[in-house]
Amino acid sequence: MEKQLTDDDIARALGRRLKGLRRKAGLTLEALAEQAGISRAMISRIERGESSPTAVLLGRLCAGLGVSLASLFARETPVASPLQRAGDQPVWQDPETGYVRRAVSPSGTGSPVEIVDVTLPPGARVAFDHPWLSRGIDQHVWVLDGTLEKTIGDEVFLLHAGDCLHMRLDRPNVYHNPGTRPVRYAVVLAPIDERKG
């Protein structure tokens, strides 16, 4: 059985992953700070595991790195397995909103599809005002339980259990739980084949 990770363990692992992605992209702290619109000092604190970033901050960092939020939580695995058991799926909670995300997809399989299970508390709102995934990502949001208000640009959609909304992430988008109980939804991300579009 895998040891339960503490918030500090998660912050340190997230910081290491962010630093690795930044270096892989060939970016300095200054360059990422400029691209993401976040201070160099804040990025440095996150990379050292000294600060637990919000979902919005992580979205901006992903925009600067040119990666999806789901890939930030993907575990580096020496040997890929087609199976990722629920207990082994990385879980992260936004310290600002209580938003909980679980990376469902097995890492390292070569599949371009990423699946995330999200629980958004009552009244919570997460706004990605930076079109941070405009680099060719398709997204489906499938509500599993509860009600989700999803805003894409100027369009507002009210989604109930079973509803599924497709979008390209090229405009600001907001997730809001207008209800009195948590909403749980799946996010499925895949790269867009630009040759078809």
Side-chain angles (χ1 to χ4, degrees):
M1 189 79 175
E2 192 170 301
K3 174 189 130 192
Q4 185 66 30
L5 297 176
T6 67
D7 288 345
D8 287 344
D9 293 334
I10 293 168
R12 283 191 294 276
L14 188 58
R16 284 191 302 272
R17 179 80 172 136
L18 180 64
K19 187 174 189 175
L21 288 169
R22 177 179 59 78
R23 286 183 170 169
K24 184 177 178 182
L27 295 172
T28 63
L29 281 170
E30 291 79 11
L32 180 56
E34 184 176 320
Q35 289 185 23
I38 298 169
S39 76
R40 178 192 183 285
M42 176 55 82
I43 296 171
S44 180
R45 285 194 303 273
I46 293 168
E47 286 187 355
R48 292 191 312 265
E50 296 172 0
S51 178
S52 183
T54 66
V56 172
L57 207 59
L58 288 177
R60 294 176 80 179
L61 287 167
C62 287
L65 291 168
V67 299
S68 70
L69 192 57
S71 69
L72 188 59
F73 291 95
R75 288 193 176 151
E76 298 283 333
T77 55
V79 179
S81 170
L83 174 65
Q84 179 148 300
R85 302 233 180 249
D88 295 331
Q89 296 166 356
V91 176
W92 175 79
Q93 184 170 8
D94 180 1
E96 185 176 286
T97 63
Y99 153 100
V100 177
R101 63 176 289 120
R102 184 167 47 93
V104 176
S105 310
S107 299
T109 63
S111 172
V113 177
E114 298 173 1
I115 304 171
V116 180
D117 182 324
V118 179
T119 302
L120 192 61
R125 181 179 187 276
V126 178
F128 296 105
D129 57 359
H130 190 281
W132 54 279
L133 285 178
S134 59
R135 292 174 173 83
I137 300 288
D138 246 359
Q139 175 176 282
H140 290 79
V141 174
W142 178 27
V143 176
L144 303 171
D145 187 39
T147 301
L148 177 68
E149 183 183 273
K150 179 73 174 115
T151 304
I152 308 161
D154 295 330
E155 296 179 89
V156 180
F157 301 89
L158 191 60
L159 307 173
H160 303 282
D163 292 346
C164 185
L165 177 66
H166 169 263
M167 71 213 75
R168 287 193 174 187
L169 295 180
D170 57 358
R171 295 177 284 165
N173 65 95
V174 178
Y175 297 82
H176 175 241
N177 180 352
T180 57
R181 61 187 182 97
V183 60
R184 184 170 165 243
Y185 54 95
V187 177
V188 181
L189 300 156
I192 297 169
D193 185 347
E194 298 294 344
R195 296 171 296 183
K196 292 182 180 179

